[in-house]
Amino acid sequence: MKTQSKMRRQIVAACASAVALCGVLGVSSQALAQTKIPMRISTPAVPDDWHAKMWTVFKENLDKSAANQFDVQINLNASLFKQGTEPAAMARGNLELSSISAFDIAKLVPDFSIFTAGYVIRDPSHQQKVFNGPIGENLFKTVSEKMDVTILSTVYLGTRQVNLREVRNVKTPADLKGIKLRMPGTKEWLFLGEALGATATPLAFGEVYLGLKTGTIDGQDNPLPTVRAAKFYEVTKQLVLTNHLVDGIFIAISNKTWNGLTAAQKQNVKAAALAAAQYNNENRIKEEGQIIDFFKKEGLQVTTPDLDAFQKSVQDTYAKSDYAKSWPSGLLDSINKTR
């Protein structure tokens, strides 16, 4: 009996030790998980678009260069934050990462509105040289101060074209009169739509397909890869190659998150953002070179208007606007001289 009692005591003690050990291990695992820095990404991009796929490249690069340090969570289709609300969410510290547009930035940094104007940036190469040089460096400092976000890299979104629900003979901006052209719902975007000669109509990106299908809008403007990824070609009949805006977005991180990183972590995050941008840019430029044939096969009419007439009209409209008054003296000249 004494032997059995002793054995029972030993078994109980062993079990207690095991439970205690499991508890310790459990706490350690939880603590380990909690040390990972959350990196929630919010984007309105649809899964098939390059600026959605680039976030996977970002995640893969960061997981490789800083293993077990970050918890990267990618949220597409504006499922986490509504398009246009991401900058405010990052400033509050409610969101770590997003891609923001020049139009988003121009709301708080009027200098940046120059990049919302038509026919300012010439092509993707010019875009990278402008933002990766002194012009971008100075403007990004102002963005950080006024918006509480740090810009990590510049992403080529594509050259924006006009996409119409019904075929129309478009040669000059006057030919777009009366066309309800979907634009994102900020005054800068709407001004651009009006400068093109159309009736700018605000509508969230996620509602554009249905709007085109039902006739709520007559057209929309986007880079051609986005037109294909969002399947707008299914509900439109014409592409008008206006080339009116060499568009870009900027991978940005909340200053609250950025300032909490070590120097090594900042370097890793920056490198991942640059790799993501490069992946997007290379693939998007390649796709734009091949995509016209795709749309023609889908039955869309592809037409080219009088680009000189569009450029002159749009630039004249901006020159007379309050936007031009907010541009720093000499900035447009510096952009034009960047080669």
Side-chain angles (χ1 to χ4, degrees):
M1 291 291 291
K2 288 182 180 180
T3 301
Q4 291 178 345
S5 178
K6 183 177 180 180
M7 288 178 64
R8 280 198 299 270
R9 287 196 300 271
Q10 289 174 338
I11 291 172
V12 169
C15 288
S17 298
V19 169
L21 180 60
C22 287
V24 170
L25 290 173
V27 171
S28 298
S29 299
Q30 185 178 12
L32 180 62
Q34 289 176 343
T35 61
K36 281 192 176 185
I37 300 169
M39 285 287 185
R40 292 167 300 166
I41 296 162
S42 179
T43 174
V46 295
D48 287 342
D49 209 340
W50 295 115
H51 68 286
K53 296 175 182 178
M54 74 176 181
W55 287 115
T56 300
V57 174
F58 175 87
K59 175 178 169 56
E60 290 172 349
N61 272 264
L62 198 55
D63 286 347
K64 184 177 180 180
S65 64
N68 297 317
Q69 294 183 45
F70 296 96
D71 178 19
V72 180
Q73 305 164 29
I74 303 170
N75 300 274
L76 305 178
N77 296 309
S79 59
L80 188 59
F81 285 93
K82 187 178 178 181
Q83 183 180 16
T85 66
E86 303 96 341
M90 285 191 288
R92 292 192 302 266
N94 295 337
L95 176 67
E96 286 74 45
L97 279 157
S98 187
S99 52
I100 59 178
S101 71
F103 293 83
D104 293 325
I105 296 170
K107 294 176 188 176
L108 293 174
V109 185
D111 298 7
F112 228 90
S113 69
I114 196 168
F115 300 112
T116 71
Y119 304 101
V120 171
I121 297 294
R122 295 187 296 271
D123 52 45
S125 176
H126 184 223
Q127 180 189 65
Q128 292 299 312
K129 289 174 181 176
V130 167
F131 288 113
N132 292 335
I135 294 172
E137 183 180 357
N138 291 330
L139 286 172
F140 291 165
K141 285 180 182 177
T142 306
V143 170
S144 179
E145 292 165 1
K146 293 190 175 183
M147 297 183 66
D148 261 338
V149 301
T150 293
I151 292 177
L152 301 173
S153 62
T154 302
V155 177
Y156 174 57
L157 188 58
T159 300
R160 297 181 82 95
Q161 316 290 358
V162 172
N163 183 202
L164 298 176
R165 188 169 178 265
E166 298 293 340
V167 176
R168 191 181 182 101
N169 184 23
V170 179
K171 293 298 181 184
T172 70
D175 297 321
L176 289 176
K177 185 177 180 180
I179 289 290
K180 291 179 288 184
L181 184 67
R182 176 268 172 183
M183 305 297 287
T186 69
K187 62 180 182 179
E188 291 82 8
W189 276 113
L190 296 173
F191 186 88
L192 175 59
E194 297 287 339
L196 289 169
T199 300
T201 305
L203 195 66
F205 183 82
E207 300 172 24
V208 173
Y209 185 97
L210 183 60
L212 289 167
K213 186 175 183 179
T214 60
T216 301
I217 52 175
D218 302 312
Q220 63 90 36
D221 90 309
N222 259 301
L224 297 186
T226 300
V227 175
R228 176 157 70 177
K231 301 187 186 302
F232 293 152
Y233 60 86
E234 295 179 346
V235 286
T236 55
K237 295 180 181 178
Q238 183 181 9
L239 287 169
V240 185
L241 302 181
T242 50
N243 296 329
H244 57 272
L245 186 70
V246 177
D247 203 5
I249 52 177
F250 306 88
I251 293 181
I253 186 170
S254 164
N255 277 355
K256 182 177 180 181
T257 301
W258 182 249
N259 294 335
L261 302 180
T262 66
Q265 287 172 333
K266 286 181 178 179
Q267 185 176 357
N268 290 332
V269 170
K270 174 84 171 177
L274 290 171
Q278 183 178 357
Y279 169 85
N280 169 90
N281 298 353
E282 289 176 354
N283 282 287
R284 191 171 292 275
I285 290 168
K286 180 180 178 181
E287 184 178 6
E288 280 190 322
Q290 305 168 340
I291 203 168
I292 293 294
D293 287 340
F294 168 82
F295 290 122
K296 287 180 177 178
K297 288 177 182 177
E298 289 296 322
L300 270 68
Q301 287 196 29
V302 180
T303 60
T304 301
D306 184 340
L307 293 178
D308 289 339
F310 265 92
Q311 181 176 0
K312 185 178 186 306
S313 178
V314 170
Q315 289 190 344
D316 286 349
T317 301
Y318 273 94
K320 298 171 186 175
S321 73
D322 289 337
Y323 291 106
K325 295 176 184 177
S326 71
W327 300 345
S329 177
L331 180 56
L332 181 58
D333 189 46
S334 295
I335 293 170
N336 289 335
K337 289 180 178 177
T338 299
R339 300 290 175 182

